[in-house]
Amino acid sequence: MTNEEIPKATSDANPYGPLAPSGLLQRTFAMYRERPSLVFGLMLIAAAVQLVATGAITSSSALLQRQAGMGMPPLQIVFFVGVCLLATLLTYLVMQVVQGAFFYAVTAWVEDRTILVGDACSLALERIGRLIGVSLQVATRVFGYTVLFGLILGGIGVAVGVLLQNVIGESLHASGWMGYALVLVPVVAILLGVYVLALFWIIARYAISIPACLAENMPASDAVRRSIALSAKSRSRIYATYALVMVFAVVSAMIVLPLRLMAMYPGRHLAMFPLLNAVASAVNLLFGAWTISFIGIATTLCYYDLRTRKEGLGAPIISQADAVDAPQAGTLPSDPPHAEPLAGS
């Protein structure tokens, strides 16, 4: 199935889905091609605010470093901390608006409507309070689970280490560091693999909280619970989405890390230092903006796909006359597809 067939196949029957995992990824990339001005306009907003925030922090740091020889007055420290906090707050608020705007942009695309970047941002800005509430609740839960799983796996690692020391400690000591490496490296690799899988599970539970909040006009706590319930036993598409993000993150790191190391090399000409750092920063900036867009598009499509599969969102309403002749196992009537996603907008 080609990329062009995915939107056509879904729009002819039901614009909201269902989609296979591969079809969801294909349709996500299709939006970049079909609505480039909308997607890249929102990406530009995300990249611009990150650039402004980074520039403010960097310039303030450079100013303080220039005067460090004369001592750093307390007022300068307070000023620098204030700049960092304001830059972080600005970035956070704009990112919430952009994430919400991507929901409205994808919804308009799925329903074959036209929406401008400013209109999508305005709709998201009207619900900035709920967007912040959802993001804070998700961040708190993810952090809590991350620490919990880290402690559990760390305890398991310590227990395994103590057990190995008691069972084959003399053999390990006799073989030196190589013996310890042969035994401990596989154990650490397994524990890290389990930890990564646990992170995937945690993130997938809350991945569609923002679409649920905006589409169904829910409070933050209800949207989080809705994400958990709606994605239960149906998270393969979400896993595929974040797996692809991780692949691109590795590619980005492979580009940025050598550039950073080259810039730090003592023998490097001074003129190359800002150039290499600028290229590395640009790659980071572009990857961050792309990640926001990709997750915003994919999670919205995941939300609609899950509602289509589990609740019949967008299925045609069967009239009473047709229902008489329809099989008993037929699809139950669902709400009109256009009314639900834009409820309260």
Side-chain angles (χ1 to χ4, degrees), residues 204-229:
R205 280 168 57 88
Y206 310 116
I208 58 174
S209 297
I210 287 179
C213 174
L214 298 179
E216 303 177 49
N217 201 20
M218 288 183 168
S221 57
D222 292 342
V224 172
R225 288 192 291 269
R226 175 69 163 155
S227 175
I228 297 172

Side-chain angles (χ1 to χ4, degrees), residues 9-262:
T10 55
S11 60
D12 287 346
N14 186 344
Y16 300 100
L19 297 170
S22 59
L24 186 141
L25 293 178
Q26 289 177 358
R27 201 173 188 201
T28 299
F29 285 112
M31 186 169 178
Y32 290 89
R33 183 181 67 253
E34 297 183 13
R35 300 286 178 96
S37 59
L38 181 59
V39 174
F40 290 106
L42 293 174
M43 287 177 59
L44 182 61
I45 294 175
V49 71
Q50 292 181 65
L51 183 62
V52 170
T54 303
I57 294 175
T58 303
S59 59
S60 300
S61 176
L63 179 62
L64 293 178
Q65 289 179 1
R66 183 181 304 175
Q67 301 178 355
M70 300 178 291
M72 189 177 299
L75 288 178
Q76 289 186 348
I77 298 176
V78 173
F79 170 77
F80 179 69
V81 172
V83 169
C84 293
L85 290 177
L86 289 176
T88 302
L89 179 61
L90 173 65
T91 303
Y92 173 77
L93 292 176
V94 173
M95 290 304 109
Q96 304 312 307
V97 173
V98 171
Q99 288 183 23
F102 268 112
F103 166 80
Y104 291 109
V106 175
T107 300
W109 176 61
V110 167
E111 297 175 348
D112 198 21
R113 295 183 290 104
T114 301
I115 190 172
L116 301 177
V117 173
D119 295 334
C121 292
S122 297
L123 290 172
L125 193 59
E126 292 176 1
R127 291 169 174 78
I128 186 63
R130 291 190 174 182
L131 286 170
I132 292 174
V134 170
S135 66
L136 290 178
Q137 286 205 26
V138 170
T140 302
R141 295 180 182 222
V142 169
F143 177 76
Y145 273 114
T146 301
V147 173
L148 177 62
F149 283 128
L151 293 175
I152 293 174
L153 293 176
I156 293 175
V158 171
V160 171
V162 172
L163 180 62
L164 291 175
Q165 181 68 28
N166 293 332
V167 175
I168 56 175
E170 295 182 0
S171 300
L172 293 176
H173 183 72
S175 58
W177 66 269
M178 184 63 71
Y180 281 99
L182 291 174
V183 174
L184 295 179
V185 168
V187 174
V188 173
I190 293 173
L191 291 177
L192 287 177
V194 173
Y195 190 67
V196 171
L197 293 177
L199 290 180
F200 264 77
W201 176 80
I202 296 168
I203 294 173
R205 280 168 57 88
Y206 310 116
I208 58 174
S209 297
I210 287 179
C213 174
L214 298 179
E216 303 177 49
N217 201 20
M218 288 183 168
S221 57
D222 292 342
V224 172
R225 288 192 291 269
R226 175 69 163 155
S227 175
I228 297 172
L230 195 58
S231 63
K233 300 180 181 180
S234 303
R235 296 186 179 128
S236 59
R237 293 149 190 80
I238 302 175
Y239 291 143
T241 298
Y242 283 95
L244 187 60
V245 170
M246 286 192 64
V247 170
F248 278 98
V250 171
V251 173
S252 175
M254 292 174 63
I255 297 174
V256 171
L257 185 59
L259 293 174
R260 296 291 191 192
L261 294 176
M262 291 170 63

